[in-house]
Amino acid sequence: MPKKLTISQLNKIGERLRKGSESEEDLRLLDEFRLSFGPAYQQTFDVLNALGLKTGGREGKTTESIRAKLVREGTRLSKMQDIAGCRVEVDHLIQQDLVVSDLKARWPQARIYDRRVTPSSGYRAVHLVVEVDGHLVEIQVRTSLQHIWASTTEKLSDVLDSQIKYGGGPEILRKHLQVFSDAIAEFESIEKEYSEVLGQISEPEGGRLQQISAKLDAQKLRLKSLCEKLIMTVQ
Amino acid sequence: MIYLIRYDRKAGKVVTLKRFHSSDRACAQRERLTIELEFHKSGVPCEVVLLEAADDQTLERMHQRYFKSPRELVESLA
């Protein structure tokens, strides 16, 4: 935190942001607060890149996103865990588990939020909150399908209704997104099973693999059909 | 590479995008704040963000919400 800014002052800025009554000075101080995460963010981003991961970063949450979170969750600005964030995209569940495990080894004190187990309005991913030099940095680890689902939901929230990504908005769209999220979870689970069986057998075990492969193909078709329905709904 | 992006949420479109080398981070940060303050003064809502990625392709992949239409995103789900 910037030296001249106390927690109480920071939370007061948060209050004014929540009410939409912030001054130019508030925005300057908010920016100082945001920039105070810079070194921790850069260190985290560099570690992820050094691990060879496909990484994106955002060293400071935008003022509008901070405001929206303050309004939505009634949280205090000083308590926000995701001012600085990095995102990693991996191919599938097995790789996701491996990456999370690597990151846990790198940051043993990291707080883990496994939103595959407890999805948040259909959002699935694994989030780690790591502490670097006294600052929190959130790392989102998403599979490709989880990432596309999340990006779609964020985009629909931008252009249609900001509540969509929090489980609100038009009911039909909400239902489609939920069904889609469930279908992706099922697809990824079958895909994982397939890879595990493939890795376990020493000789081609045709029957079981064929069965799982057929399930995988069926789920692919289902995803395609759900996608077409979602496109029609969005239009 | 650091990217300074002004994004129109309602329209779902990137309005401006400026690239900075990682060594020019402080310059990008100053410019971000300047834009935000200008818009604050004019009372026009504005989202201005600094993103980071190895290159343009990774940026567009990792932050695809900024760059793709809802239809393009939904289609890529299938």
Side-chain angles (χ1 to χ4, degrees), chain A residues 22 27 31 34-35 41-42 56-57 59 62-63 65 87 89 147-148 151-152 155 158 227 231 235, chain B residues 7 9 12 25 29 32 36-37 40 47 49 51-52 61-62 64-65 68 71 73-77:
Chain A
E22 74 280 4
L27 291 178
D31 200 54
R34 199 169 10 225
L35 295 183
Y41 156 80
Q42 282 167 47
E59 72 173 40
T62 66
T63 303
S65 295
R87 180 176 293 158
E89 185 191 352
H147 181 44
I148 295 172
S151 302
T152 303
K155 188 76 181 195
D158 287 345
C227 174
I231 287 172
Q235 282 172 337
Chain B
Y7 179 64
R9 258 195 206 208
R25 186 180 300 272
Q29 290 166 341
R32 194 210 71 78
E36 184 167 274
L37 292 177
H40 181 256
E47 177 155 358
V49 64
L51 300 176
E52 187 165 8
R61 178 71 198 177
M62 300 309 294
Q64 47 190 318
R65 154 211 178 184
K68 287 188 175 173
R71 189 188 171 103
L73 281 163
V74 174
E75 281 174 346
S76 60
L77 270 165

mmCIF file of all heavy atoms in Angstrom, chain A residues 22 27 31 34-35 41-42 56-57 59 62-63 65 87 89 147-148 151-152 155 158 227 231 235, chain B residues 7 9 12 25 29 32 36-37 40 47 49 51-52 61-62 64-65 68 71 73-77:
data_model
loop_
_atom_site.group_PDB
_atom_site.id
_atom_site.type_symbol
_atom_site.label_atom_id
_atom_site.label_comp_id
_atom_site.label_asym_id
_atom_site.label_seq_id
_atom_site.Cartn_x
_atom_site.Cartn_y
_atom_site.Cartn_z
ATOM 1 N N GLU A 22 -16.546 9.798 -6.500
ATOM 2 C CA GLU A 22 -15.091 9.930 -6.328
ATOM 3 C C GLU A 22 -14.568 11.203 -7.000
ATOM 4 O O GLU A 22 -15.115 11.652 -8.006
ATOM 5 C CB GLU A 22 -14.365 8.691 -6.884
ATOM 6 C CG GLU A 22 -14.297 8.579 -8.383
ATOM 7 C CD GLU A 22 -15.572 8.058 -9.025
ATOM 8 O OE1 GLU A 22 -16.569 7.840 -8.319
ATOM 9 O OE2 GLU A 22 -15.564 7.895 -10.259
ATOM 10 N N LEU A 27 -9.069 9.160 -7.598
ATOM 11 C CA LEU A 27 -8.596 8.308 -8.701
ATOM 12 C C LEU A 27 -7.076 8.229 -8.721
ATOM 13 O O LEU A 27 -6.497 7.176 -9.008
ATOM 14 C CB LEU A 27 -9.118 8.824 -10.050
ATOM 15 C CG LEU A 27 -10.627 8.672 -10.270
ATOM 16 C CD1 LEU A 27 -11.036 9.256 -11.617
ATOM 17 C CD2 LEU A 27 -11.066 7.208 -10.189
ATOM 18 N N ASP A 31 -4.997 4.863 -8.034
ATOM 19 C CA ASP A 31 -3.962 4.404 -8.955
ATOM 20 C C ASP A 31 -2.666 4.081 -8.205
ATOM 21 O O ASP A 31 -2.000 3.089 -8.510
ATOM 22 C CB ASP A 31 -3.704 5.466 -10.031
ATOM 23 C CG ASP A 31 -3.030 4.848 -11.237
ATOM 24 O OD1 ASP A 31 -3.568 3.860 -11.767
ATOM 25 O OD2 ASP A 31 -1.955 5.323 -11.632
ATOM 26 N N ARG A 34 -3.197 0.786 -6.725
ATOM 27 C CA ARG A 34 -3.111 -0.232 -7.776
ATOM 28 C C ARG A 34 -1.643 -0.494 -8.133
ATOM 29 O O ARG A 34 -1.209 -1.637 -8.229
ATOM 30 C CB ARG A 34 -3.867 0.305 -8.990
ATOM 31 C CG ARG A 34 -4.264 -0.708 -9.984
ATOM 32 C CD ARG A 34 -5.235 -0.209 -11.048
ATOM 33 N NE ARG A 34 -5.481 1.193 -11.102
ATOM 34 C CZ ARG A 34 -6.702 1.742 -11.220
ATOM 35 N NH1 ARG A 34 -7.761 0.975 -11.315
ATOM 36 N NH2 ARG A 34 -6.849 3.038 -11.276
ATOM 37 N N LEU A 35 -0.886 0.582 -8.290
ATOM 38 C CA LEU A 35 0.518 0.431 -8.690
ATOM 39 C C LEU A 35 1.368 -0.223 -7.604
ATOM 40 O O LEU A 35 2.416 -0.798 -7.888
ATOM 41 C CB LEU A 35 1.128 1.791 -9.056
ATOM 42 C CG LEU A 35 0.540 2.486 -10.289
ATOM 43 C CD1 LEU A 35 1.278 3.783 -10.571
ATOM 44 C CD2 LEU A 35 0.598 1.588 -11.507
ATOM 45 N N TYR A 41 3.035 -8.303 -8.805
ATOM 46 C CA TYR A 41 2.427 -8.794 -10.043
ATOM 47 C C TYR A 41 3.511 -9.212 -11.040
ATOM 48 O O TYR A 41 3.446 -10.301 -11.624
ATOM 49 C CB TYR A 41 1.525 -7.706 -10.655
ATOM 50 C CG TYR A 41 1.338 -7.885 -12.125
ATOM 51 C CD1 TYR A 41 0.409 -8.813 -12.610
ATOM 52 C CD2 TYR A 41 2.125 -7.189 -13.048
ATOM 53 C CE1 TYR A 41 0.277 -9.022 -13.973
ATOM 54 C CE2 TYR A 41 1.994 -7.396 -14.398
ATOM 55 C CZ TYR A 41 1.076 -8.316 -14.855
ATOM 56 O OH TYR A 41 0.955 -8.535 -16.199
ATOM 57 N N GLN A 42 4.511 -8.350 -11.221
ATOM 58 C CA GLN A 42 5.559 -8.636 -12.222
ATOM 59 C C GLN A 42 6.325 -9.907 -11.870
ATOM 60 O O GLN A 42 6.642 -10.719 -12.733
ATOM 61 C CB GLN A 42 6.536 -7.469 -12.307
ATOM 62 C CG GLN A 42 5.983 -6.310 -13.117
ATOM 63 C CD GLN A 42 6.820 -5.060 -12.932
ATOM 64 O OE1 GLN A 42 8.051 -5.089 -12.999
ATOM 65 N NE2 GLN A 42 6.160 -3.953 -12.686
ATOM 66 N N GLY A 56 -1.418 -14.503 -19.480
ATOM 67 C CA GLY A 56 -1.843 -13.124 -19.690
ATOM 68 C C GLY A 56 -1.870 -12.438 -18.340
ATOM 69 O O GLY A 56 -2.053 -13.094 -17.314
ATOM 70 N N GLY A 57 -1.677 -11.147 -18.347
ATOM 71 C CA GLY A 57 -1.661 -10.455 -17.051
ATOM 72 C C GLY A 57 -2.382 -9.130 -17.093
ATOM 73 O O GLY A 57 -2.540 -8.513 -18.152
ATOM 74 N N GLU A 59 -2.088 -5.965 -14.413
ATOM 75 C CA GLU A 59 -1.460 -5.617 -13.136
ATOM 76 C C GLU A 59 -2.374 -4.834 -12.211
ATOM 77 O O GLU A 59 -2.111 -4.760 -11.014
ATOM 78 C CB GLU A 59 -0.124 -4.902 -13.346
ATOM 79 C CG GLU A 59 -0.228 -3.498 -13.858
ATOM 80 C CD GLU A 59 1.140 -2.822 -13.856
ATOM 81 O OE1 GLU A 59 2.139 -3.466 -14.204
ATOM 82 O OE2 GLU A 59 1.197 -1.639 -13.499
ATOM 83 N N THR A 62 -9.414 -2.647 -13.336
ATOM 84 C CA THR A 62 -9.840 -1.315 -13.786
ATOM 85 C C THR A 62 -10.743 -0.665 -12.734
ATOM 86 O O THR A 62 -11.376 -1.340 -11.923
ATOM 87 C CB THR A 62 -10.626 -1.369 -15.114
ATOM 88 O OG1 THR A 62 -11.859 -2.046 -14.893
ATOM 89 C CG2 THR A 62 -9.850 -2.068 -16.207
ATOM 90 N N THR A 63 -10.777 0.658 -12.797
ATOM 91 C CA THR A 63 -11.602 1.401 -11.837
ATOM 92 C C THR A 63 -13.061 0.960 -11.941
ATOM 93 O O THR A 63 -13.732 0.776 -10.917
ATOM 94 C CB THR A 63 -11.466 2.916 -12.112
ATOM 95 O OG1 THR A 63 -10.072 3.236 -12.018
ATOM 96 C CG2 THR A 63 -12.249 3.733 -11.106
ATOM 97 N N SER A 65 -14.227 -1.938 -12.892
ATOM 98 C CA SER A 65 -14.394 -3.282 -12.314
ATOM 99 C C SER A 65 -14.335 -3.230 -10.795
ATOM 100 O O SER A 65 -15.054 -3.958 -10.104
ATOM 101 C CB SER A 65 -13.314 -4.233 -12.835
ATOM 102 O OG SER A 65 -13.486 -4.410 -14.212
ATOM 103 N N ARG A 87 -3.403 -14.802 -15.664
ATOM 104 C CA ARG A 87 -4.267 -15.881 -16.148
ATOM 105 C C ARG A 87 -3.431 -16.859 -16.959
ATOM 106 O O ARG A 87 -2.576 -16.448 -17.743
ATOM 107 C CB ARG A 87 -5.356 -15.266 -17.035
ATOM 108 C CG ARG A 87 -6.318 -16.244 -17.609
ATOM 109 C CD ARG A 87 -7.394 -15.522 -18.385
ATOM 110 N NE ARG A 87 -8.240 -14.725 -17.503
ATOM 111 C CZ ARG A 87 -8.971 -13.676 -17.912
ATOM 112 N NH1 ARG A 87 -8.941 -13.296 -19.174
ATOM 113 N NH2 ARG A 87 -9.727 -13.024 -17.060
ATOM 114 N N GLU A 89 -3.720 -20.356 -19.402
ATOM 115 C CA GLU A 89 -4.628 -21.263 -20.124
ATOM 116 C C GLU A 89 -3.901 -22.563 -20.420
ATOM 117 O O GLU A 89 -2.765 -22.548 -20.904
ATOM 118 C CB GLU A 89 -5.088 -20.616 -21.436
ATOM 119 C CG GLU A 89 -6.124 -21.479 -22.154
ATOM 120 C CD GLU A 89 -6.420 -21.014 -23.580
ATOM 121 O OE1 GLU A 89 -5.943 -19.934 -23.974
ATOM 122 O OE2 GLU A 89 -7.125 -21.753 -24.286
ATOM 123 N N HIS A 147 -12.009 -21.383 -20.388
ATOM 124 C CA HIS A 147 -11.634 -20.016 -20.735
ATOM 125 C C HIS A 147 -12.611 -19.428 -21.756
ATOM 126 O O HIS A 147 -13.045 -18.277 -21.624
ATOM 127 C CB HIS A 147 -10.203 -20.009 -21.279
ATOM 128 C CG HIS A 147 -9.683 -18.665 -21.642
ATOM 129 N ND1 HIS A 147 -9.867 -17.550 -20.850
ATOM 130 C CD2 HIS A 147 -8.994 -18.236 -22.738
ATOM 131 C CE1 HIS A 147 -9.306 -16.502 -21.440
ATOM 132 N NE2 HIS A 147 -8.793 -16.885 -22.574
ATOM 133 N N ILE A 148 -12.953 -20.218 -22.756
ATOM 134 C CA ILE A 148 -13.876 -19.700 -23.779
ATOM 135 C C ILE A 148 -15.250 -19.463 -23.151
ATOM 136 O O ILE A 148 -15.904 -18.454 -23.418
ATOM 137 C CB ILE A 148 -13.958 -20.661 -24.985
ATOM 138 C CG1 ILE A 148 -12.604 -20.721 -25.691
ATOM 139 C CG2 ILE A 148 -15.020 -20.179 -25.967
ATOM 140 C CD1 ILE A 148 -12.521 -21.775 -26.775
ATOM 141 N N SER A 151 -14.974 -16.279 -21.104
ATOM 142 C CA SER A 151 -14.864 -15.093 -21.965
ATOM 143 C C SER A 151 -16.212 -14.770 -22.607
ATOM 144 O O SER A 151 -16.583 -13.597 -22.725
ATOM 145 C CB SER A 151 -13.820 -15.326 -23.066
ATOM 146 O OG SER A 151 -12.574 -15.627 -22.498
ATOM 147 N N THR A 152 -16.923 -15.817 -23.024
ATOM 148 C CA THR A 152 -18.247 -15.611 -23.626
ATOM 149 C C THR A 152 -19.181 -14.949 -22.619
ATOM 150 O O THR A 152 -19.895 -13.993 -22.934
ATOM 151 C CB THR A 152 -18.844 -16.977 -24.065
ATOM 152 O OG1 THR A 152 -17.936 -17.593 -24.965
ATOM 153 C CG2 THR A 152 -20.187 -16.809 -24.739
ATOM 154 N N LYS A 155 -18.240 -11.372 -22.048
ATOM 155 C CA LYS A 155 -18.610 -10.525 -23.188
ATOM 156 C C LYS A 155 -20.122 -10.252 -23.186
ATOM 157 O O LYS A 155 -20.561 -9.120 -23.408
ATOM 158 C CB LYS A 155 -18.218 -11.236 -24.494
ATOM 159 C CG LYS A 155 -18.382 -10.392 -25.725
ATOM 160 C CD LYS A 155 -17.249 -9.393 -25.805
ATOM 161 C CE LYS A 155 -17.324 -8.475 -26.978
ATOM 162 N NZ LYS A 155 -16.068 -7.783 -27.231
ATOM 163 N N ASP A 158 -20.855 -7.702 -20.777
ATOM 164 C CA ASP A 158 -20.492 -6.351 -21.251
ATOM 165 C C ASP A 158 -21.600 -5.763 -22.109
ATOM 166 O O ASP A 158 -22.000 -4.621 -21.903
ATOM 167 C CB ASP A 158 -19.209 -6.409 -22.113
ATOM 168 C CG ASP A 158 -17.964 -6.650 -21.292
ATOM 169 O OD1 ASP A 158 -18.024 -6.502 -20.059
ATOM 170 O OD2 ASP A 158 -16.926 -6.981 -21.889
ATOM 171 N N CYS A 227 -24.071 -25.132 -28.671
ATOM 172 C CA CYS A 227 -23.466 -23.912 -29.194
ATOM 173 C C CYS A 227 -24.423 -23.252 -30.185
ATOM 174 O O CYS A 227 -24.629 -22.038 -30.155
ATOM 175 C CB CYS A 227 -22.146 -24.297 -29.847
ATOM 176 S SG CYS A 227 -21.380 -22.943 -30.682
ATOM 177 N N ILE A 231 -26.066 -19.551 -29.886
ATOM 178 C CA ILE A 231 -25.936 -18.510 -30.920
ATOM 179 C C ILE A 231 -27.305 -17.939 -31.264
ATOM 180 O O ILE A 231 -27.493 -16.719 -31.363
ATOM 181 C CB ILE A 231 -25.251 -19.074 -32.191
ATOM 182 C CG1 ILE A 231 -23.767 -19.297 -31.911
ATOM 183 C CG2 ILE A 231 -25.403 -18.114 -33.377
ATOM 184 C CD1 ILE A 231 -23.014 -20.009 -32.999
ATOM 185 N N GLN A 235 -28.515 -14.067 -30.632
ATOM 186 C CA GLN A 235 -29.003 -13.234 -31.746
ATOM 187 C C GLN A 235 -30.389 -12.697 -31.431
ATOM 188 O O GLN A 235 -30.804 -11.684 -31.852
ATOM 189 C CB GLN A 235 -29.058 -14.032 -33.025
ATOM 190 C CG GLN A 235 -27.663 -14.170 -33.633
ATOM 191 C CD GLN A 235 -27.626 -15.122 -34.810
ATOM 192 O OE1 GLN A 235 -28.488 -15.977 -34.915
ATOM 193 N NE2 GLN A 235 -26.645 -14.992 -35.649
ATOM 194 N N TYR B 7 -11.547 0.516 -23.692
ATOM 195 C CA TYR B 7 -12.583 -0.440 -24.091
ATOM 196 C C TYR B 7 -13.958 0.154 -23.836
ATOM 197 O O TYR B 7 -14.213 0.706 -22.755
ATOM 198 C CB TYR B 7 -12.384 -1.713 -23.259
ATOM 199 C CG TYR B 7 -13.380 -2.825 -23.496
ATOM 200 C CD1 TYR B 7 -13.462 -3.461 -24.736
ATOM 201 C CD2 TYR B 7 -14.215 -3.271 -22.486
ATOM 202 C CE1 TYR B 7 -14.365 -4.501 -24.940
ATOM 203 C CE2 TYR B 7 -15.108 -4.312 -22.674
ATOM 204 C CZ TYR B 7 -15.175 -4.928 -23.909
ATOM 205 O OH TYR B 7 -16.062 -5.966 -24.107
ATOM 206 N N ARG B 9 -17.345 -0.862 -23.040
ATOM 207 C CA ARG B 9 -18.034 -2.060 -22.569
ATOM 208 C C ARG B 9 -19.366 -2.285 -23.266
ATOM 209 O O ARG B 9 -19.681 -3.403 -23.676
ATOM 210 C CB ARG B 9 -18.301 -1.951 -21.058
ATOM 211 C CG ARG B 9 -17.344 -2.758 -20.244
ATOM 212 C CD ARG B 9 -17.828 -2.940 -18.831
ATOM 213 N NE ARG B 9 -16.653 -3.145 -17.985
ATOM 214 C CZ ARG B 9 -16.664 -3.832 -16.864
ATOM 215 N NH1 ARG B 9 -17.768 -4.356 -16.413
ATOM 216 N NH2 ARG B 9 -15.557 -3.973 -16.157
ATOM 217 N N GLY B 12 -18.865 -3.325 -26.567
ATOM 218 C CA GLY B 12 -18.039 -4.532 -26.609
ATOM 219 C C GLY B 12 -16.860 -4.389 -27.567
ATOM 220 O O GLY B 12 -16.439 -5.368 -28.173
ATOM 221 N N ARG B 25 7.020 0.355 -18.865
ATOM 222 C CA ARG B 25 5.840 0.115 -18.026
ATOM 223 C C ARG B 25 5.348 1.406 -17.340
ATOM 224 O O ARG B 25 4.164 1.718 -17.347
ATOM 225 C CB ARG B 25 6.187 -0.933 -16.957
ATOM 226 C CG ARG B 25 5.021 -1.385 -16.108
ATOM 227 C CD ARG B 25 5.486 -2.427 -15.098
ATOM 228 N NE ARG B 25 6.036 -3.600 -15.754
ATOM 229 C CZ ARG B 25 5.315 -4.647 -16.150
ATOM 230 N NH1 ARG B 25 4.025 -4.665 -15.934
ATOM 231 N NH2 ARG B 25 5.868 -5.686 -16.750
ATOM 232 N N GLN B 29 1.744 3.227 -17.528
ATOM 233 C CA GLN B 29 0.930 3.468 -16.317
ATOM 234 C C GLN B 29 0.505 4.928 -16.232
ATOM 235 O O GLN B 29 -0.640 5.231 -15.913
ATOM 236 C CB GLN B 29 1.739 3.067 -15.069
ATOM 237 C CG GLN B 29 1.941 1.564 -14.954
ATOM 238 C CD GLN B 29 3.013 1.179 -13.944
ATOM 239 O OE1 GLN B 29 3.864 1.998 -13.573
ATOM 240 N NE2 GLN B 29 2.986 -0.071 -13.497
ATOM 241 N N ARG B 32 -2.154 5.624 -18.820
ATOM 242 C CA ARG B 32 -3.452 5.055 -18.415
ATOM 243 C C ARG B 32 -4.193 6.011 -17.482
ATOM 244 O O ARG B 32 -5.372 6.315 -17.670
ATOM 245 C CB ARG B 32 -3.250 3.698 -17.711
ATOM 246 C CG ARG B 32 -4.510 2.885 -17.554
ATOM 247 C CD ARG B 32 -4.502 1.991 -16.333
ATOM 248 N NE ARG B 32 -4.618 2.764 -15.109
ATOM 249 C CZ ARG B 32 -5.760 3.268 -14.657
ATOM 250 N NH1 ARG B 32 -6.895 3.057 -15.288
ATOM 251 N NH2 ARG B 32 -5.783 3.997 -13.549
ATOM 252 N N GLU B 36 -7.737 8.136 -17.957
ATOM 253 C CA GLU B 36 -8.838 7.947 -17.008
ATOM 254 C C GLU B 36 -9.279 9.290 -16.410
ATOM 255 O O GLU B 36 -10.478 9.561 -16.284
ATOM 256 C CB GLU B 36 -8.412 6.990 -15.893
ATOM 257 C CG GLU B 36 -9.549 6.680 -14.938
ATOM 258 C CD GLU B 36 -9.233 5.507 -14.033
ATOM 259 O OE1 GLU B 36 -9.466 4.362 -14.454
ATOM 260 O OE2 GLU B 36 -8.734 5.728 -12.919
ATOM 261 N N LEU B 37 -8.306 10.120 -16.065
ATOM 262 C CA LEU B 37 -8.644 11.420 -15.463
ATOM 263 C C LEU B 37 -9.341 12.339 -16.468
ATOM 264 O O LEU B 37 -10.277 13.054 -16.116
ATOM 265 C CB LEU B 37 -7.386 12.099 -14.910
ATOM 266 C CG LEU B 37 -6.755 11.400 -13.702
ATOM 267 C CD1 LEU B 37 -5.472 12.102 -13.278
ATOM 268 C CD2 LEU B 37 -7.720 11.310 -12.529
ATOM 269 N N HIS B 40 -12.832 11.190 -16.663
ATOM 270 C CA HIS B 40 -13.527 11.494 -15.416
ATOM 271 C C HIS B 40 -13.978 12.950 -15.420
ATOM 272 O O HIS B 40 -15.100 13.277 -15.039
ATOM 273 C CB HIS B 40 -12.599 11.217 -14.229
ATOM 274 C CG HIS B 40 -13.239 11.478 -12.902
ATOM 275 N ND1 HIS B 40 -12.966 12.596 -12.157
ATOM 276 C CD2 HIS B 40 -14.151 10.781 -12.200
ATOM 277 C CE1 HIS B 40 -13.681 12.574 -11.043
ATOM 278 N NE2 HIS B 40 -14.406 11.480 -11.042
ATOM 279 N N GLU B 47 -13.448 2.778 -19.742
ATOM 280 C CA GLU B 47 -12.678 1.700 -19.126
ATOM 281 C C GLU B 47 -11.317 1.678 -19.795
ATOM 282 O O GLU B 47 -11.220 1.512 -21.015
ATOM 283 C CB GLU B 47 -13.394 0.362 -19.326
ATOM 284 C CG GLU B 47 -12.600 -0.790 -18.759
ATOM 285 C CD GLU B 47 -13.467 -1.977 -18.388
ATOM 286 O OE1 GLU B 47 -14.694 -1.890 -18.544
ATOM 287 O OE2 GLU B 47 -12.902 -2.975 -17.949
ATOM 288 N N VAL B 49 -7.451 0.012 -19.446
ATOM 289 C CA VAL B 49 -6.772 -1.069 -18.733
ATOM 290 C C VAL B 49 -5.394 -1.335 -19.335
ATOM 291 O O VAL B 49 -5.181 -1.145 -20.536
ATOM 292 C CB VAL B 49 -7.647 -2.361 -18.786
ATOM 293 C CG1 VAL B 49 -7.822 -2.884 -20.201
ATOM 294 C CG2 VAL B 49 -7.100 -3.458 -17.884
ATOM 295 N N LEU B 51 -2.889 -4.364 -20.024
ATOM 296 C CA LEU B 51 -2.792 -5.823 -20.062
ATOM 297 C C LEU B 51 -1.381 -6.204 -20.491
ATOM 298 O O LEU B 51 -0.672 -5.395 -21.098
ATOM 299 C CB LEU B 51 -3.809 -6.398 -21.056
ATOM 300 C CG LEU B 51 -5.281 -6.101 -20.770
ATOM 301 C CD1 LEU B 51 -6.163 -6.636 -21.889
ATOM 302 C CD2 LEU B 51 -5.715 -6.701 -19.433
ATOM 303 N N GLU B 52 -1.022 -7.432 -20.199
ATOM 304 C CA GLU B 52 0.335 -7.863 -20.549
ATOM 305 C C GLU B 52 0.300 -9.262 -21.144
ATOM 306 O O GLU B 52 -0.458 -10.130 -20.682
ATOM 307 C CB GLU B 52 1.220 -7.857 -19.285
ATOM 308 C CG GLU B 52 2.674 -8.131 -19.585
ATOM 309 C CD GLU B 52 3.589 -7.761 -18.416
ATOM 310 O OE1 GLU B 52 3.069 -7.428 -17.323
ATOM 311 O OE2 GLU B 52 4.815 -7.803 -18.606
ATOM 312 N N ARG B 61 -5.721 -14.066 -27.281
ATOM 313 C CA ARG B 61 -6.212 -15.354 -26.779
ATOM 314 C C ARG B 61 -6.568 -15.238 -25.286
ATOM 315 O O ARG B 61 -7.615 -15.677 -24.846
ATOM 316 C CB ARG B 61 -5.118 -16.416 -26.983
ATOM 317 C CG ARG B 61 -5.463 -17.778 -26.465
ATOM 318 C CD ARG B 61 -6.523 -18.443 -27.307
ATOM 319 N NE ARG B 61 -7.132 -19.549 -26.577
ATOM 320 C CZ ARG B 61 -8.127 -20.272 -27.030
ATOM 321 N NH1 ARG B 61 -8.657 -20.032 -28.211
ATOM 322 N NH2 ARG B 61 -8.629 -21.252 -26.319
ATOM 323 N N MET B 62 -5.664 -14.651 -24.515
ATOM 324 C CA MET B 62 -5.843 -14.639 -23.062
ATOM 325 C C MET B 62 -6.895 -13.629 -22.607
ATOM 326 O O MET B 62 -7.467 -13.762 -21.541
ATOM 327 C CB MET B 62 -4.514 -14.324 -22.356
ATOM 328 C CG MET B 62 -3.404 -15.310 -22.636
ATOM 329 S SD MET B 62 -3.900 -17.020 -22.380
ATOM 330 C CE MET B 62 -4.165 -17.045 -20.615
ATOM 331 N N GLN B 64 -9.610 -12.583 -24.667
ATOM 332 C CA GLN B 64 -10.408 -12.593 -25.892
ATOM 333 C C GLN B 64 -11.725 -11.844 -25.758
ATOM 334 O O GLN B 64 -12.284 -11.400 -26.765
ATOM 335 C CB GLN B 64 -10.641 -14.016 -26.376
ATOM 336 C CG GLN B 64 -11.089 -14.994 -25.344
ATOM 337 C CD GLN B 64 -11.046 -16.416 -25.896
ATOM 338 O OE1 GLN B 64 -11.432 -16.665 -27.008
ATOM 339 N NE2 GLN B 64 -10.570 -17.348 -25.111
ATOM 340 N N ARG B 65 -12.194 -11.669 -24.544
ATOM 341 C CA ARG B 65 -13.415 -10.901 -24.329
ATOM 342 C C ARG B 65 -13.324 -9.508 -24.978
ATOM 343 O O ARG B 65 -14.307 -8.978 -25.483
ATOM 344 C CB ARG B 65 -13.628 -10.778 -22.821
ATOM 345 C CG ARG B 65 -14.417 -9.600 -22.393
ATOM 346 C CD ARG B 65 -13.960 -9.149 -21.034
ATOM 347 N NE ARG B 65 -14.668 -7.971 -20.593
ATOM 348 C CZ ARG B 65 -14.387 -7.353 -19.464
ATOM 349 N NH1 ARG B 65 -13.473 -7.824 -18.667
ATOM 350 N NH2 ARG B 65 -15.038 -6.280 -19.123
ATOM 351 N N LYS B 68 -13.176 -10.356 -29.342
ATOM 352 C CA LYS B 68 -14.103 -11.145 -30.154
ATOM 353 C C LYS B 68 -15.541 -10.738 -29.889
ATOM 354 O O LYS B 68 -15.881 -10.324 -28.778
ATOM 355 C CB LYS B 68 -13.923 -12.633 -29.845
ATOM 356 C CG LYS B 68 -12.642 -13.209 -30.408
ATOM 357 C CD LYS B 68 -12.617 -14.711 -30.234
ATOM 358 C CE LYS B 68 -11.405 -15.332 -30.895
ATOM 359 N NZ LYS B 68 -11.284 -16.762 -30.598
ATOM 360 N N ARG B 71 -20.756 -13.685 -30.872
ATOM 361 C CA ARG B 71 -20.959 -14.795 -31.811
ATOM 362 C C ARG B 71 -19.646 -15.558 -32.035
ATOM 363 O O ARG B 71 -19.623 -16.792 -32.024
ATOM 364 C CB ARG B 71 -21.511 -14.262 -33.133
ATOM 365 C CG ARG B 71 -21.942 -15.388 -34.036
ATOM 366 C CD ARG B 71 -22.324 -14.971 -35.429
ATOM 367 N NE ARG B 71 -22.500 -16.174 -36.208
ATOM 368 C CZ ARG B 71 -23.664 -16.684 -36.529
ATOM 369 N NH1 ARG B 71 -24.770 -16.088 -36.192
ATOM 370 N NH2 ARG B 71 -23.740 -17.821 -37.209
ATOM 371 N N LEU B 73 -17.168 -15.812 -30.079
ATOM 372 C CA LEU B 73 -16.820 -16.546 -28.859
ATOM 373 C C LEU B 73 -17.667 -17.813 -28.732
ATOM 374 O O LEU B 73 -17.143 -18.889 -28.445
ATOM 375 C CB LEU B 73 -17.012 -15.654 -27.625
ATOM 376 C CG LEU B 73 -15.888 -14.653 -27.384
ATOM 377 C CD1 LEU B 73 -16.322 -13.556 -26.432
ATOM 378 C CD2 LEU B 73 -14.665 -15.366 -26.819
ATOM 379 N N VAL B 74 -18.954 -17.657 -28.960
ATOM 380 C CA VAL B 74 -19.846 -18.826 -28.834
ATOM 381 C C VAL B 74 -19.453 -19.882 -29.855
ATOM 382 O O VAL B 74 -19.385 -21.082 -29.548
ATOM 383 C CB VAL B 74 -21.329 -18.413 -29.011
ATOM 384 C CG1 VAL B 74 -22.217 -19.647 -29.019
ATOM 385 C CG2 VAL B 74 -21.764 -17.469 -27.904
ATOM 386 N N GLU B 75 -19.147 -19.437 -31.086
ATOM 387 C CA GLU B 75 -18.772 -20.407 -32.126
ATOM 388 C C GLU B 75 -17.503 -21.161 -31.753
ATOM 389 O O GLU B 75 -17.367 -22.340 -32.062
ATOM 390 C CB GLU B 75 -18.584 -19.685 -33.468
ATOM 391 C CG GLU B 75 -19.918 -19.403 -34.131
ATOM 392 C CD GLU B 75 -19.802 -18.562 -35.399
ATOM 393 O OE1 GLU B 75 -18.728 -17.958 -35.640
ATOM 394 O OE2 GLU B 75 -20.803 -18.487 -36.125
ATOM 395 N N SER B 76 -16.600 -20.485 -31.077
ATOM 396 C CA SER B 76 -15.356 -21.179 -30.729
ATOM 397 C C SER B 76 -15.556 -22.190 -29.603
ATOM 398 O O SER B 76 -14.674 -22.983 -29.308
ATOM 399 C CB SER B 76 -14.264 -20.174 -30.364
ATOM 400 O OG SER B 76 -14.645 -19.401 -29.261
ATOM 401 N N LEU B 77 -16.728 -22.165 -28.998
ATOM 402 C CA LEU B 77 -17.023 -23.151 -27.945
ATOM 403 C C LEU B 77 -17.274 -24.540 -28.531
ATOM 404 O O LEU B 77 -17.106 -25.546 -27.858
ATOM 405 C CB LEU B 77 -18.260 -22.728 -27.156
ATOM 406 C CG LEU B 77 -18.058 -21.846 -25.933
ATOM 407 C CD1 LEU B 77 -19.363 -21.230 -25.504
ATOM 408 C CD2 LEU B 77 -17.448 -22.620 -24.789
#
